[in-house]
Amino acid sequence: MSDHDYIDHTYVGFDAQSALIVKVVKENTSGSTPLWPHIQAEAITEIETLYTDFHVKHVAAEAPTHNKIDVEERSAARKHFEPVLRNFCQRFFYDAPSIVTDAQLESMNLRIRDKTRTTHGKPQWRVVIEIEPSKTRTHTIRWRVAETGSKAIPLDCNGWVLAYKALSADEPAPTDPEDFGHSQLVTRNPFVVEHKPGDEGKRIAYCGVFQSSSRGLKGDWGEIVVAVLP
C-alpha cells in the first residue's frame, strides 16, 4: 500500500482492506458496551452493503471466465464505494483520535495519523437537498453529502444551515442564499419544514450549506431548489 494514501490502489488489495475494515468495525460496535459507540448503525450498514456489492463484482471480474462487462461493473462499483469508505474512515477513525487509536488503524491496514498540527477551515462538503410534499404547509426535506452520497452529518460539522424563502407569484428565485431571509440548523434526515398560513400554493426556494463544529465556518452553498407548497 502506498505511503501517501490509506486506501489500497489495487483491486485485490482494496477488496481485502475493505473486508477487514467492515469486519473490525462490526466487532467494535457490537454488544451492550461497544468499543466504538460513536459509529452510527446506518453508516455501518451503508459501507457493508456497498462492500458486498463491490466484492461480488470483484470476484466476477477476477474469475477466469470474466468478460468486459464484469470488469466495467467492478470499476463502477468501486467508484461508488470508495468515496463513501473514505468519508467513513475520515469521520469515524481519523477525526476521533480519543476513541480510535493508531494501533487500531494499523490493524485495518490504515495509515496512522499525521502528527503535524493542522488548522481546520471551512467544511469541504456540499449538501444536496430533495423536496417532498407533505401535509398542508409543510415540505419534507431529504438530503445527502454531494461528494460521498452519505446521508449523515460529516464529523467535522455540527449540521447544515437550511435557508429558505417563500416567493410571490411572479418573483424569481433569488440567486444568493444569504438573501433568503429565513434559516435554521438541520441535523435530522429527513427534516420537515413548516411554513406559515397563507403560504399555501407559493413556491418556496431552499438551499443548504454545511457548518463546521469548531468555528462555525460555512462551506460552499449547494444548488437552489424550488418547490410548490401544498
Side-chain angles (χ1 to χ4, degrees):
M1 184 168 57
S2 170
D3 292 335
H4 302 291
D5 196 4
Y6 58 84
I7 297 296
D8 199 301
H9 289 185
T10 68
Y11 280 111
V12 172
F14 178 73
D15 180 68
Q17 186 184 26
S18 301
L20 183 59
I21 291 172
V22 171
K23 175 179 178 292
V24 173
V25 166
K26 292 183 70 175
E27 290 174 349
N28 289 337
T29 55
S30 61
S32 57
T33 56
L35 191 61
W36 293 343
H38 67 299
I39 304 181
Q40 302 161 351
E42 56 267 30
I44 300 170
T45 299
E46 184 177 29
I47 64 163
E48 184 176 16
T49 300
L50 290 174
Y51 165 69
T52 300
D53 177 65
F54 168 79
H55 178 68
V56 169
K57 291 170 181 173
H58 170 66
V59 170
E62 290 292 312
T65 56
H66 76 271
N67 55 41
K68 181 179 178 181
I69 293 177
D70 293 327
V71 173
E72 291 175 346
E73 288 185 343
R74 176 177 65 173
S75 176
R78 176 166 181 163
K79 287 180 180 178
H80 186 198
F81 177 33
E82 184 171 341
V84 177
L85 182 65
R86 286 181 180 277
N87 183 50
F88 184 96
C89 292
Q90 183 65 49
R91 179 184 182 195
F92 295 115
F93 300 157
Y94 291 105
D95 289 346
S98 64
I99 303 176
V100 180
T101 67
D102 283 348
Q104 290 168 331
L105 290 175
E106 289 186 307
S107 75
M108 295 179 284
N109 290 336
L110 292 169
R111 185 189 63 212
I112 63 173
R113 295 176 181 84
D114 184 355
K115 303 303 181 181
T116 304
R117 187 176 180 87
T118 58
T119 302
H120 296 285
K122 71 179 187 179
Q124 60 181 308
W125 320 106
R126 282 163 53 96
V127 62
V128 175
I129 62 177
E130 298 175 354
I131 310 298
E132 297 179 3
S134 187
K135 60 183 180 180
T136 302
R137 293 195 302 276
T138 66
H139 276 140
T140 297
I141 295 181
R142 299 184 186 277
W143 56 270
R144 66 181 187 277
V145 181
E147 290 76 10
T148 66
S150 174
K151 298 177 182 178
I153 297 290
L155 195 62
D156 58 345
C157 299
N158 63 356
W160 61 276
V161 177
L162 170 68
Y164 59 93
K165 180 179 182 180
L167 307 175
S168 58
D170 299 322
E171 182 181 3
T175 57
D176 186 354
E178 297 286 352
D179 297 332
F180 277 24
H182 300 280
S183 65
Q184 61 189 108
L185 187 67
V186 176
T187 57
R188 299 188 303 276
N189 195 1
F191 176 75
V192 176
V193 184
E194 298 184 4
H195 294 274
K196 67 179 188 292
D199 283 345
E200 300 92 329
K202 289 185 178 180
R203 292 170 300 128
I204 311 294
Y206 296 97
C207 197
V209 60
F210 282 112
Q211 179 172 278
S212 69
S213 55
S214 58
R215 296 161 59 191
L217 298 176
K218 292 179 181 177
D220 295 325
W221 287 95
E223 297 292 330
I224 296 173
V225 178
V226 178
V228 175
L229 186 69

